[in-house]
Amino acid sequence: MANYNSLYQEVILDHNKKPRNFGAIEHPSHHAVGHNPLCGDHISVDVVLGDERIDNIAFQGEACAICKASASMMTTAVKGKTRAEAETLIQEFLAMTTGKLSHEACPNIGRLAVFAGVSDLPTRVKCAILPWHTLSGAFNAVETTSTEAEEDPMHAPIGDA
Amino acid sequence: MSEIQAALKYNSPSTFDVDGIRADFPILKLTVNDKPLVYLDNAASSQMPQQVIDRLVCYQTTQHANINRAVHYLSEVATSEFEEARRKLQRFINANEEREVIFTSGTTDAINLVMHGYGRKFIGAGDEIILTTLEHHSNIVPWQMLAEEKGAKIRVVPINDAGELLIDEYEKLFNERTKFVGVMHVSNALGTINPIKEMIAFAHARGVPVLVDGAQAVPHMKVDVKDLDCDFYAFSGHKLCGPTGIGILYGRAELLEDMQPFKGGGDMILSVTFEKTIYNTIPHKFEAGTPPISAAIGLGAAVDYLSEIGMDAIAAYELDLLKHATEQINAMPGVRILGTAEHKAAVISFAVDGVHPHDIGTLLNQEGIAVRTGHHCAQPIMHRLHVPATSRASFAFYNSMDEVDALIAGIRTVQKIFT
Ligand SMILES: Cc1ncc(COP(=O)(O)O)c(C=O)c1O
């Protein structure tokens, strides 16, 4: 079955416990808040986009380990990158976690390959992609975004009871 | 089978033959992630015993046709089995008459039926509907839709930190504009058993009818609608060892007769011309179209199965499961139970310090343990308890004490991974 035994790896647990770039930035050039209405989790992302590169990025919010680690590792991955490079990485991350591409097929994914396992867990994919959705929203001046938004690549229903 | 049936005649939980019962449920033999399945998501949906599966197969292979329509053999058999299922449900909840038992597609459908059939006819501008903080979304949203349409108002009974309704506050909400009360019997999110009999008596003394959402009560205790004196009582088949797509609305006959139909179509009419349609008598007035015949018959078999074991024995055994689980969880550092009502059904919502419920759910699943994580379709409770979500273990009579222990071990594993 799922190879997500490897999902809760050291690196994810570590980023969950000690998230990098956690907090807010005083005067961000870009900002967005992302919600996962299925679990009530939310994350805000602040970006300082200079002429060339992402000079600074931070996130904060209430979220599960998968989401928090994904956000933390996202901030370390895109800091210092150009907006175009960051957008490519967003596309690769979404393609990998929704199972459209294997992590080997994503040239820029690097250490983020630890999230490949969520593609087997439809109910958890949204947790991993929420920060990336939110970053994309910030770039495109969408103040609040949601994993249930129209353009959401995954519509994994979670049952009611 | 006969041995099991003999064993089923116990009356004390210590003699409850849970192994014999488990043998009736084929799905409990599954392994998940190479571990034996530990199914603790019974509040979401329960599993089906072989007896009910067999009944469905028998119906489908030897008895199926449409009901109430033809004079041929199969139609007569199907009609009589369908109506026999109605009588089984009537006896199961001790309704006065079988015409007070309406087949719906589930609890949600049953509540919507009452909202459209009763609410839209009898509730108007400025009228008030009393609900509680504990309600499932299915007993909130239909009433909000009605309130919006009619200009009516919703008043909400608060709870204390243990998850118990504040009955004094409930009583204070009544005034001359109060037209309806909707209250759940047992909370799906916290397990609280509400004092509905007293609440119904209080409302009736002021001439106000009461709908009870019994989705989480009927599977776990003896429910007697006559004794409760409720006006409406709704529940779902799939939480009661029956199929999905079937549920029951019990309604007091004189109220059902005064109500307008919910859905229009075949079977709910006596005669139709383009000038005038004359509606059928109850319960058929509320059963438009071809009903889920096999599901209704399956539900009849499910209540036979449960009655054989005895709802009192089930309640007593589940209370033992609850006690065992509660004691062990209370002894665990870093784990907190949400919902500590004095009267509780075997539902445990819990939080583990430093671990998000979704991570708990995924990691327990890795151990083969099925729990629910999230807001349990009861977001007002989550807001009241200041948590975004919880993890919930909900037990059934086919769960064993060993499975409680597996849950405890699973929570320890989660804690270990996160330290
Ligand atoms: C208390 C309660 N009411 C209503 C419902 C809705 O039941 P259904 O989805 O079967 O209509 C549920 C379960 O989902 C429930 O637990």
Side-chain angles (χ1 to χ4, degrees), chain B residues 16-326:
Chain B
F16 197 80
D17 179 22
V18 69
D19 291 338
I21 288 170
R22 290 179 69 78
D24 289 337
F25 289 79
I27 207 165
L28 299 180
K29 298 180 183 77
L30 278 188
T31 57
V32 171
N33 295 320
D34 300 324
K35 306 275 168 56
L37 168 68
V38 175
Y39 187 75
L40 302 180
D41 195 17
N42 294 287
S45 201
S46 57
Q47 301 299 348
M48 194 184 273
Q50 191 63 48
Q51 288 84 337
V52 176
I53 298 169
D54 288 346
R55 185 67 192 88
L56 294 172
V57 171
C58 161
Y59 169 75
Q60 219 64 58
T61 47
T62 66
Q63 299 179 317
H64 174 66
N66 210 329
I67 57 166
N68 298 333
R69 293 201 179 167
V71 293
H72 62 73
Y73 167 76
L74 279 179
S75 181
E76 278 174 4
V77 174
T79 305
S80 104
E81 292 298 330
F82 182 74
E83 291 304 328
E84 177 58 26
R86 195 191 305 278
R87 281 188 290 277
K88 288 178 180 182
L89 269 302
Q90 177 209 340
R91 287 193 295 271
F92 190 63
I93 58 171
N94 197 31
N96 266 324
E97 303 175 61
E98 55 191 271
R99 66 194 181 116
E100 296 181 316
V101 176
I102 298 163
F103 284 115
T104 67
S105 72
T107 306
T108 305
D109 190 38
I111 295 171
N112 276 275
L113 191 163
V114 177
M115 185 278 265
H116 284 272
Y118 184 91
R120 294 183 78 192
K121 185 165 177 186
F122 296 110
I123 296 173
D127 288 345
E128 296 186 0
I129 300 162
I130 296 179
L131 304 175
T132 86
T133 307
L134 293 174
E135 296 316 301
H136 186 279
H137 295 165
S138 64
N139 202 20
I140 299 175
V141 181
W143 303 112
Q144 281 175 329
M145 293 163 76
L146 181 73
E148 187 155 326
E149 177 188 320
K150 298 286 185 180
K153 197 167 154 193
I154 289 172
R155 310 288 306 269
V156 183
V157 185
I159 56 172
N160 62 19
D161 291 337
E164 294 165 316
L165 294 178
L166 298 177
I167 297 302
D168 288 354
E169 300 298 321
Y170 165 69
E171 296 182 353
K172 278 190 230 154
L173 288 177
F174 279 82
N175 60 43
E176 66 288 352
R177 294 178 299 278
T178 308
K179 288 288 155 61
F180 198 80
V181 173
V183 56
M184 68 186 353
H185 196 166
V186 172
S187 159
N188 61 308
L190 304 180
T192 314
I193 302 175
N194 292 320
I196 56 164
K197 192 172 172 183
E198 293 71 24
M199 293 172 78
I200 291 164
F202 190 89
H204 282 180
R206 282 141 195 89
V208 177
V210 180
L211 171 141
V212 180
D213 170 356
Q216 297 296 344
V218 177
H220 304 291
M221 60 183 71
K222 176 119 205 62
V223 169
D224 179 334
V225 294
K226 222 183 304 182
D227 177 59
L228 290 172
D229 197 30
C230 54
D231 302 282
F232 300 103
Y233 196 101
F235 57 100
S236 297
H238 69 95
K239 297 181 197 284
L240 197 59
C241 300
T244 54
I246 189 79
I248 297 293
L249 174 68
Y250 159 80
R252 205 191 280 284
E254 61 272 25
L255 285 175
L256 292 176
E257 277 173 342
D258 277 353
M259 282 159 60
Q260 59 192 23
F262 172 26
K263 298 165 186 165
D267 292 329
M268 53 80 70
I269 46 81
L270 283 180
S271 73
V272 176
T273 65
F274 278 101
E275 286 68 45
K276 185 163 177 59
T277 288
I278 299 175
Y279 299 133
N280 206 335
T281 51
I282 62 167
H284 310 291
K285 181 168 85 172
F286 296 107
E287 293 177 354
T290 302
I293 307 166
S294 65
I297 291 168
L299 181 55
V303 302
D304 277 350
Y305 179 83
L306 294 168
S307 303
E308 182 90 43
I309 299 174
M311 291 313 297
D312 289 334
I314 285 174
Y317 175 72
E318 289 183 2
L319 197 61
D320 259 22
L321 286 174
L322 175 69
K323 251 170 55 195
H324 184 53
T326 305

Side-chain angles (χ1 to χ4, degrees), chain A residues 1-2 4-5 7-8 13 16-17 36-41 62-66 121 123-124 127 158-161, chain B residues 32-33 43-44 136 188 239 354 356 358-360 362-363 365-366 372 374-377 379 388-389 392 417-419:
Chain A
M1 266 195 68
Y4 59 86
N5 285 338
L7 185 57
Y8 288 87
L13 294 169
N16 173 55
K17 216 158 153 189
N36 183 346
L38 296 178
C39 58
D41 285 357
E62 259 323 301
C64 65
I66 302 299
L121 291 172
T123 55
R124 302 306 304 279
C127 311
I158 292 186
D160 284 358
Chain B
V32 171
N33 295 320
H136 186 279
N188 61 308
K239 297 181 197 284
H356 190 285
H358 270 179
D359 298 316
I360 296 172
T362 299
L363 287 164
N365 179 59
Q366 208 158 297
R372 175 82 196 279
H375 53 59
H376 317 296
C377 297
Q379 282 177 326
R392 179 190 70 188
I417 289 170
F418 272 83
T419 48

Side-chain angles (χ1 to χ4, degrees), chain B residues 323-337 340 408:
Chain B
K323 251 170 55 195
H324 184 53
T326 305
E327 277 166 17
Q328 292 202 71
I329 292 178
N330 281 339
M332 295 175 86
V335 187
R336 182 165 64 101
I337 294 178
T340 50
I408 303 300

Side-chain angles (χ1 to χ4, degrees), chain A residues 1-117:
Chain A
M1 266 195 68
N3 64 343
Y4 59 86
N5 285 338
S6 57
L7 185 57
Y8 288 87
Q9 285 173 16
E10 268 322 300
V11 49
I12 288 185
L13 294 169
D14 178 64
H15 275 267
N16 173 55
K17 216 158 153 189
K18 297 187 297 250
R20 323 295 197 266
N21 304 305
F22 191 82
I25 295 172
E26 264 214 36
H27 298 291
S29 60
H30 295 72
H31 165 83
V33 179
H35 290 280
N36 183 346
L38 296 178
C39 58
D41 285 357
H42 52 89
I43 269 209
S44 75
V45 173
D46 292 342
V47 181
V48 180
L49 190 59
D51 291 341
E52 295 263 309
R53 301 187 175 275
I54 297 172
D55 291 334
N56 200 3
I57 178 166
F59 83 98
Q60 60 185 357
E62 259 323 301
C64 65
I66 302 299
C67 182
K68 224 184 205 177
S70 173
S72 172
M73 292 175 72
M74 174 184 82
T75 60
T76 59
V78 303
K79 206 187 239 181
K81 287 208 163 61
T82 64
R83 173 172 170 174
E85 287 168 342
E87 280 175 338
T88 305
L89 191 55
I90 293 173
Q91 290 315 315
E92 285 187 12
F93 190 87
L94 294 186
M96 176 185 77
T97 49
T98 55
K100 294 193 184 78
L101 286 180
S102 73
H103 63 92
E104 290 95 345
C106 298
N108 304 293
I109 211 78
R111 278 154 39 94
L112 293 163
V114 291
F115 289 98

